[in-house]
Amino acid sequence: QWRGVIREYADRLPVTENTEVITLGEGGTPLVRAKALSELTGNEVYLKVEGMNPTGSFKDRGMTMAMTAAVEAGAKAVVCASTGNTSASAAAYATQAGLTCAVLVPDGKISMGKLSQAIAHGAQLLQVNGNFDNCLEVARKLAEAYPVFLVNSVNPARIEGQKTASFEVVDYLGDAPDYHLLPVGNAGNITAYWRGYQEYAQPWTNNAGVELAPVATKTPVMWGFQAEGASPLVKGHPVTDPDTIATAIRIGNPASWDQAIAARDESGGLIEAVTDTEILEAHRWLSSREGVFVEPASAAGVAGLLKKHAAGEAPSGKKIVITVTGHGLKDPQWALRTADGSDVEPTKVDFDVVSVAAALGLE
Ligand SMILES: Cc1ncc(COP(=O)(O)O)c(/C=C/C(=O)C(=O)O)c1O
């Protein structure tokens, strides 16, 4: 029985045996072989399916650690700014912890699935008339001036929890992959993966002072992908008015800017942009060819591999892991449109077997 990421990786997290762990069973997510992508690119490609976490995104890995730290610090209330998944996760974990939760979301730019989660868990939901960056700025000021605990990924506990994903990849594959691809928005996740891969490739002393041998023999090359309309790390300066249909990564000034650049450079990797069209094509590729349903932003890493392959810039014969970060049910509207943008119409039939057989082409 999987016990959640803190208990599974207690040796490598800032907890003691007395820590009261707040968990919803997060982590232990599938590493699925991407057969179509492997065949197309001539690599061994795997998908780390983070939509299989309790609230449907990778945020739960960080939130179990942040909410555990909040309880340990005696907090009564938590706050976060979010494009949606962080607030969904914070609301669920705060409920599990018995804390009140305030969430600040950008005006109008949050998917219905995520909004429903924050509301279902009774979060105090404030729709700020600004974008995510404005929300994060005011959440940080609130936590400085009032007794509320900030659970955004500027809180180191979040990065600590999220680094467990790379431990799981190595534990499953037996070593680090050659490449790791993922979307980049506020850049907490690329920071966390790189930290996890580095820690697993070096000796580690646990909280009891026991030295653990390295688990991996190497670290992967990190390839991060931003939406072209929200790609400050590609442009080299903040984007004041970020715009993309991938609302989860519609962020103009990443909080983990320096750490993301360090992950790119120390790993010999890259951070590049993919267009909304490329993101939606990758979103469709995953659901129609790999059987994995993700929200648009989650497909940015796959869009990146398809783009690099088409440009003749992708490796071959390598082991590649791509993190797909959130479940498709978070934003189902994108699956209800055909490639040309028209709505999918269900085929109507009478309830007689001949009509059904004919409609299914069995006649
Ligand atoms: C599905 C999905 N995919 C990728 C990202 C980017 O991860 P980071 O680069 O670590 O920010 C997010 C981020 C969401 C928020 O930032 C939030 O929920 O406030 C996401 O929800």
Side-chain angles (χ1 to χ4, degrees):
Q1 164 70 17
W2 180 267
R3 298 170 300 155
V5 296
I6 290 180
R7 290 201 180 94
E8 292 293 334
Y9 291 106
D11 269 343
R12 296 176 175 271
L13 292 169
V15 292
T16 68
E17 58 281 357
N18 305 323
T19 299
E20 181 195 347
V21 172
I22 305 299
T23 178
L24 289 168
E26 62 294 319
T29 56
L31 193 66
V32 171
R33 185 68 191 271
K35 292 180 189 162
L37 277 172
S38 299
E39 199 178 309
L40 174 78
T41 65
N43 291 292
E44 205 178 308
V45 183
Y46 295 90
L47 302 169
K48 185 62 171 160
V49 186
E50 289 292 281
M52 300 302 282
N53 277 296
T55 74
S57 87
F58 71 95
K59 301 289 183 181
D60 295 341
R61 291 181 186 277
M63 212 50 80
T64 180
M65 197 60 242
M67 213 56 74
T68 294
V71 166
E72 206 153 39
K76 293 288 172 268
V78 300
V79 66
C80 72
S82 176
T83 61
N85 280 321
T86 294
S87 54
S89 186
Y93 281 79
T95 302
Q96 176 66 214
L99 305 183
T100 64
C101 175
V103 301
L104 309 176
V105 295
D107 202 3
K109 293 289 177 191
I110 171 172
S111 78
M112 205 45 67
K114 303 170 188 176
L115 206 51
S116 68
Q117 289 176 284
I119 292 168
H121 294 301
Q124 292 172 278
L125 188 82
L126 303 181
Q127 204 144 41
V128 171
N129 73 332
N131 60 28
F132 169 83
D133 305 288
N134 305 132
C135 294
L136 182 56
E137 195 182 333
V138 69
R140 293 175 85 150
K141 288 177 181 155
L142 191 83
E144 279 156 22
Y146 298 90
V148 282
F149 196 87
L150 183 65
V151 292
N152 273 97
S153 57
V154 292
N155 179 330
R158 280 280 308 278
I159 306 300
E160 280 300 294
Q162 287 176 209
K163 76 183 182 183
T164 57
S166 33
F167 297 161
E168 288 178 19
V169 167
V170 175
D171 288 344
Y172 186 98
L173 294 179
D175 201 346
D178 299 305
Y179 288 78
H180 195 108
L181 282 61
L182 77 170
V184 175
N186 216 15
N189 216 21
I190 190 170
T191 299
Y193 270 93
W194 181 236
R195 180 181 300 174
Y197 280 128
Q198 283 187 300
E199 288 181 4
Y200 240 32
Q202 293 154 8
W204 176 266
T205 305
N206 73 8
N207 301 316
V210 174
E211 174 153 318
L212 308 175
V215 182
T217 65
K218 62 184 179 182
T219 52
V221 175
M222 300 297 295
W223 280 10
F225 293 94
Q226 298 207 294
E228 193 166 87
S231 54
L233 296 175
V234 181
K235 292 183 161 50
H237 59 75
V239 172
T240 49
D241 197 8
D243 188 33
T244 170
I245 53 100
T247 51
I249 54 175
R250 193 172 177 271
I251 294 172
N253 190 11
S256 301
W257 187 300
D258 296 341
Q259 299 94 315
I261 297 303
R264 178 196 70 187
D265 295 345
E266 291 166 10
S267 74
L270 55 81
I271 297 178
E272 294 186 359
V274 284
T275 66
D276 282 359
T277 302
E278 288 164 344
I279 286 174
L280 286 176
E281 281 165 1
H283 172 266
R284 197 178 304 280
W285 174 289
L286 283 165
S287 41
S288 63
R289 293 170 187 259
E290 310 287 3
V292 175
F293 186 31
V294 303
E295 67 170 284
S298 302
V302 171
L305 180 60
L306 290 170
K307 182 172 199 162
K308 297 299 275 180
H309 172 73
E313 293 166 7
S316 61
K318 297 293 182 189
K319 225 171 250 187
I320 299 177
V321 172
I322 310 178
T323 297
V324 288
T325 44
H327 203 288
L329 290 173
K330 294 269 188 170
D331 205 354
Q333 61 169 316
W334 298 104
L336 301 177
R337 296 191 189 162
T338 58
D340 67 11
S342 58
D343 288 345
V344 171
E345 288 299 327
T347 306
K348 296 198 180 351
V349 288
D350 294 329
F351 56 92
D352 70 84
V353 68
V354 173
S355 310
V356 171
L360 295 175
L362 300 173
E363 274 298 315

